[in-house]
Amino acid sequence: MSSKTQLNWSRKVVVYQIYPRSFKDSNNDGIGDLQGIIDKLDYLNDGTEKSLGIDAIWLSPIYKSPMIDFGYDISDYLDIDPVFGDLEIFDRFIKEAHKRNIKVIMDFVANHTSDKHIWFKESRSSRHNSKRDWYIWKDPKPDGSPPNNWLSVFGGSSWALDKRTNQYYLHSFLPEQPDLNWRNIEVKTAMEKVLEFWIHKGVDGFRSDASYHLIKDDQFRDDPGNPNYKGPKNSYKRFLHIYSQGRPEALDTINTFCSILGLHKDKYIVSEAYLDIPEMTKLYKACSNGLHAPFNFNLISLPWDAQIVKSHIDNFEASLNKNDWPNYVLGNHDRQRVVSRVGKKRAKLLAMLLFTLRGMPFVYYGEEIGMENVGLSSDKQKDLVGNRLTANRDGERTPMQWDESAHAGFSIVKPWLPVGEKYKDVNVKKELNDPISMLRLYRHLIHYRTHNHVLLHGSYRSLGFGNRNVFAFLRELGDEKILVILNFSKDEESVSLPYQKAKVVCTTNREKEGETINIKKIILFAYQGYVMEVIE
Ligand code: GLC
């Protein structure tokens, strides 16, 4: 099997991220589960243009977990948490997804386990336990303080003192999430077995959690202060985390993952790390068989400016090698929802950008209907991270809004998090019937993209012209050209183009679709975007 054949599916798909607790509850406990996801697969792709049309699902963790970080704290990598189902239902889920040509990507949380994992229980039991070195243990400093100044991403020191053996263990995230020691060969072997286990169950790929944290400095040097930092004193950002994460050896670990996937047919892995272009380039290079990409999260954080977005995409494209496959993300379970960040009109423009760029678009469940973050009073918050830092992530994890019935059709009982206040207007059922809804725009763009070889395989080239509020680019394959024009401004804008005529495929306000228009000069409404097939 050549690596080109292996890359096939990753080069074609739109990936839909499901946060399983919040997608669909099938057993009336107020929490989403695997059977609920199976019940909704037809919504995602039933093979017709009536469904959303995505062709891969990334499942946030469903493994056994005490749920301190809602599944990102795993106590058994080889089993499903009963709240979501069991291995038998998982097999059914894989079968049903594959029946609909939907690929399945599992979350792979390799940096840390739960403190309830048997490995950690053994490791902490004595300094001489055979699993002691599976985690990162260090003596206190002479004054009893932590071994160095490393910080947890979730606030405070990343060291926790374990009184039983009077040593500190490292936790890059919550204290209940001790970091595995990836310099220990037994850890590597054990985790390789985890990958193999799920590959044999039929999964098609993985999303590697916290990839940049996998390896730490072997000399445990203090992270230096960040000279440019001006914010609050206790922020994570006050240090440059050059020793506690992002070590060059982390790339070897990613390479190990790729090599394992390379032994099997048609697999893929995407790693989580919030990086700029030079760092993303390093991660692309880490994997020699092209089966891996780092997430590109930059569309989440870039300022709202057509020229900044354009130059990011130009530079990102220029940084990629032939085998590297780009990807773009507008939101996920850790970041404020896109409509809450930028508003609905701008979110539609970003959706148009997402599905017309080269690469792999990621859609976070509910984004396609324009779900917004839900504000929660502190007594209702479930995400423990919110108690340690200001950012609470519950708001972007609320139940999927299916219809206008009680609890938005997510469950017949009170859900684990409240449904969004606007659910009677913002829901799947209603938006399916509304030709200018966010859902119908997503659906149209996804189906067009999936069946259009220029968007799937064509090149990318941005266009420069006088108007700095408008970002336009071409996707080209042979003689065919698809033109995308996006007005980032709140005002009407006009642009002159070096083309005469085009057929309109999609506009953000859904007007003129199917029409042939003159495009020598084109006027765009506020935040309006066009996708067109250039005729001449
Ligand atoms: C990743 C996950 C996040 C989790 C953290 C620790 O950043 O996306 O949800 O809390 O890792 O596992």
Side-chain angles (χ1 to χ4, degrees), residues 95-108:
K95 216 167 120 205
E96 289 298 322
H98 286 169
K99 215 159 90 187
R100 293 164 177 80
N101 289 323
I102 298 176
K103 303 286 182 189
V104 175
I105 298 173
M106 295 285 276
D107 225 302
F108 180 54

Side-chain angles (χ1 to χ4, degrees), residues 247-258:
R247 303 302 300 158
E249 303 94 312
L251 305 185
D252 302 337
T253 312
I254 288 170
N255 191 265
T256 305
F257 299 161
C258 293

Side-chain angles (χ1 to χ4, degrees), residues 47-49 53 445-456:
T48 76
E49 302 225 335
L445 286 165
I446 292 173
H447 282 276
Y448 181 70
R449 177 195 171 83
T450 306
H451 298 105
N452 185 284
H453 62 162
V454 183
L455 285 189
L456 286 180

Side-chain angles (χ1 to χ4, degrees), residues 17 19 58 60-61 68-73 107 109-112 153-154 172-174 177 207-211 213 272-274 295 297 332-335 383 385 393 397:
Q17 181 193 352
Y19 195 69
W58 150 29
S60 279
I68 301 291
D69 191 13
F70 294 116
Y72 284 95
D73 49 323
D107 225 302
V109 187
N111 177 69
H112 45 269
V153 175
F154 290 160
S172 296
F173 296 90
L174 292 171
Q177 295 169 301
R207 173 262 188 194
S208 164
D209 184 70
S211 301
H213 291 266
E272 185 210 26
Y274 286 78
F295 270 116
F297 290 122
N332 61 32
H333 63 293
D334 294 326
R335 292 289 180 271
D383 179 20
V385 172
R393 302 169 297 177
R397 298 174 176 182

Side-chain angles (χ1 to χ4, degrees), residues 4-16:
K4 196 159 177 248
T5 323
Q6 284 180 317
L7 274 177
N8 268 349
W9 74 260
S10 64
R11 304 238 156 185
K12 284 188 200 152
V13 298
V14 173
V15 186
Y16 187 87

